[in-house]
Amino acid sequence: MPETKLIVLGGGGHASVVCDVARAAGFRDVLVCDPNVRTGTLCGFPCAVEDEDVLLERNAADADFVVAIGHRIARARLLERCRRAKARLAVIVHPSAVISPFARLEDGVVVMPRAVVNAGALIGRGSIVNTGAVVEHDCRVGEAVHVAPGSVICGGVEIGDRVDLGAGSVIIPGRRVGADAIVGAGSVIVRDVASGTTVFGNPARPKPAP
């Protein structure tokens, strides 16, 4: 059972799921921090209405942190603030997830219930592998990526930083998705996706310019 205090940065809906996963993973000393939080507790854990930078500075030596913000850009910014503060980021994995001993989860990764990360896969710093998602063998997933519920990333796929894979999306083997791309829910990626592109459909195609 983890003994270090865990500070959850974020107090919205995604943070509530992170709190659930943290509890299932054995964390008991947990504080939720969000400057805009309006309740005293979140999923049974106490909340602090406090600036993240102040909290990071005061607790960097004594606690582990997890960034519990779903939006990829906001999450990336807060991850950078954690980096500057030299804060330790916890890796949190739900007990029902299946993680190969030959996979690598970098600092700050959260893996939700029934997700699978297979041999040779790398999940980058601060990324989310959400409920029921599958990351197959030898994939490279960048920082602050959201692999949404039910997504399937087949073998040998490379995903850049800050990518948002919509729920139920599928990427066939060997494709590349560039940084800051957005993949619509239910899309099927059969070709490489350029950085900064929004694609959707089966097969996925770029979103037309307005």
Side-chain angles (χ1 to χ4, degrees), residues 33 35 72 104:
C33 173
R72 61 196 175 88
R104 177 180 169 189

Side-chain angles (χ1 to χ4, degrees), residues 9-170:
L9 300 175
H14 179 66
S16 67
V17 181
V18 171
C19 286
D20 263 352
V21 174
R23 186 185 302 279
F27 288 89
R28 293 294 176 264
D29 186 3
V30 177
L31 176 67
V32 179
C33 173
D34 187 331
N36 303 307
V37 74
R38 304 197 184 281
T39 60
T41 62
L42 186 66
C43 294
F45 293 127
C47 295
V49 182
E50 197 164 355
D51 179 78
E52 292 98 338
D53 289 327
V54 173
L55 200 69
L56 283 164
E57 182 177 355
R58 192 172 64 244
N59 294 275
D62 304 317
D64 288 340
F65 292 81
V66 61
V67 177
I69 296 174
H71 190 280
R72 61 196 175 88
I73 301 301
R75 187 166 69 257
R77 289 173 179 161
L78 190 46
L79 284 165
E80 181 56 32
R81 289 159 70 184
C82 291
R83 195 194 308 269
R84 291 198 302 267
K86 299 181 179 178
R88 298 191 310 267
L89 295 176
V91 174
I92 304 177
V93 178
H94 193 277
S96 68
V98 178
I99 310 296
S100 167
F102 303 103
R104 177 180 169 189
L105 308 181
E106 293 194 335
D107 294 346
V109 167
V110 178
V111 183
M112 301 296 188
R114 301 188 308 281
V116 177
V117 180
N118 271 327
L122 167 66
I123 310 298
R125 184 174 181 270
S127 288
I128 303 162
V129 182
N130 220 317
T131 307
V134 176
V135 181
E136 268 297 346
H137 65 88
D138 303 307
C139 290
R140 295 292 181 268
V141 176
E143 292 192 7
V145 172
H146 183 198
V147 182
S151 298
V152 177
I153 305 174
C154 293
V157 168
E158 182 179 341
I159 297 176
D161 297 340
R162 300 173 303 278
V163 168
D164 194 349
L165 295 180
S169 56
V170 176

